[in-house]
Amino acid sequence: MDAEPDLFKAIGDATRRIILDELTERDGQTLFEICGRLAMKHGLGSSRQAISQHLAVLEQAGLVRTRRQGRYKFHHIDPSPLRSIVERWPIDREEPKS
Amino acid sequence: MDAEPDLFKAIGDATRRIILDELTERDGQTLFEICGRLAMKHGLGSSRQAISQHLAVLEQAGLVRTRRQGRYKFHHIDPSPLRSIVERWPIDREEPKS
DNA sequence: GTTATAGGCAAGTTACTACTTGCCTGTCAA
DNA sequence: TTGACAGGCAAGTAGTAACTTGCCTATAAC
């Protein structure tokens, strides 16, 4: 019913945020590609299974959509659920209007 | 240096999100007011100390600013740090422009 | 003064979550 | 068909975070 708890939980982890960064820079990567990039560019020694679990959390939050093709599974970012965060606590409070 | 981990951690808890909801609806409440509202409107039986710790986390994340006055401490919401979230992963991807 | 109110501090407990480990399934090339 | 590659499943472990408990400080009313 309420997918927002999953959303907040998903972006609550630093590794998952870096994964989103990576998918923003290069969309449609496979699990192994993401593992390699995290290891090289960010010095993260996370195992393949750890990344896989992170991707599952991101997918459940609606932030990542997957596309199967043969033995490859491509991961695509979808940041649109994040909009609900700023909509929930409106920022226009002290800045009257330009 | 990097306050964003605190930000994501702060909104990662459901009780803290409800506190932000309450402060959005009625800004500048004291600790006891918030406790009463959470108990009545949301059925949360959290102790005063629990709420106090939540407020400390929210304050450290920059989402809540406090103002002391006598023996009262008023809590004010500041949702502006949330902007960095939508700015980090741009949503304009499938919607070209109106 | 004394008492009640508003809040703070610190240690201990519990529950959750990220991560590992080990093994299994499915796809493609040789 | 065999082996390499891409990924999945499930149980166990460890670290963290939410919450409790108990006591303490400060402001204000009586």
Side-chain angles (χ1 to χ4, degrees), chain A residues 10-73:
Chain A
I11 61 173
D13 183 82
T15 303
R16 283 195 286 267
R17 292 195 293 272
I18 296 180
I19 291 176
L20 291 179
D21 291 339
E22 268 307 316
L23 289 180
T24 297
E25 186 179 332
R26 191 174 197 277
D27 199 32
Q29 296 187 59
T30 67
L31 172 60
F32 275 63
E33 283 179 300
I34 296 172
C35 285
R37 291 205 161 213
L38 290 192
M40 283 189 291
K41 295 182 55 180
H42 303 276
L44 299 182
S46 307
S47 68
R48 176 183 59 87
Q49 289 80 355
I51 306 296
S52 177
Q53 288 167 4
H54 281 310
L55 287 170
V57 174
L58 289 170
E59 188 172 5
Q60 189 171 331
L63 290 170
V64 163
R65 301 192 177 275
T66 58
R67 169 173 56 95
R68 255 258 144 108
Q69 188 170 341
R71 58 175 164 175
Y72 298 106
K73 189 179 182 183

Side-chain angles (χ1 to χ4, degrees), chain B residues 3-12 60-61 63 81-85:
Chain B
E4 287 212 334
D6 296 323
L7 173 64
F8 289 105
K9 177 191 165 190
I11 60 174
Q60 190 172 332
L63 290 170
L82 296 175
R83 205 175 344 224
S84 64
I85 298 177

Side-chain angles (χ1 to χ4, degrees), chain A residues 7 79-88, chain B residues 86 91-92 95:
Chain A
L7 174 63
S80 60
L82 297 174
R83 202 173 348 222
S84 65
I85 298 178
V86 278
E87 287 174 354
R88 178 166 178 176
Chain B
V86 277
I91 301 182
D92 318 316
E95 313 185 36

Side-chain angles (χ1 to χ4, degrees), chain B residues 9 13 15-16 47 49-50 53-54 70-71:
Chain B
K9 177 191 165 190
D13 184 82
T15 302
R16 285 195 286 268
S47 69
Q49 289 81 355
Q53 288 167 5
H54 281 309
R71 60 173 163 176

Side-chain angles (χ1 to χ4, degrees), chain B:
Chain B
M1 301 185 179
D2 196 5
E4 287 212 334
D6 296 323
L7 173 64
F8 289 105
K9 177 191 165 190
I11 60 174
D13 184 82
T15 302
R16 285 195 286 268
R17 292 195 294 271
I18 295 180
I19 292 176
L20 291 180
D21 291 339
E22 269 307 314
L23 289 179
T24 298
E25 185 179 331
R26 190 175 196 275
D27 199 32
Q29 297 187 60
T30 69
L31 172 60
F32 275 63
E33 284 179 298
I34 297 172
C35 286
R37 293 205 158 213
L38 289 194
M40 283 189 291
K41 297 181 54 181
H42 302 275
L44 298 183
S46 306
S47 69
R48 176 182 59 87
Q49 289 81 355
I51 307 296
S52 176
Q53 288 167 5
H54 281 309
L55 286 170
V57 175
L58 289 170
E59 189 173 7
Q60 190 172 332
L63 290 170
V64 162
R65 301 193 176 276
T66 59
R67 170 173 56 94
R68 254 257 145 109
Q69 188 169 341
R71 60 173 163 176
Y72 298 105
K73 188 178 182 184
F74 301 102
H75 300 267
H76 297 268
I77 188 175
D78 178 15
S80 60
L82 296 175
R83 205 175 344 224
S84 64
I85 298 177
V86 277
E87 286 174 353
R88 178 165 177 177
W89 301 290
I91 301 182
D92 318 316
R93 183 170 287 270
E94 331 203 17
E95 313 185 36
K97 189 175 265 189
S98 65

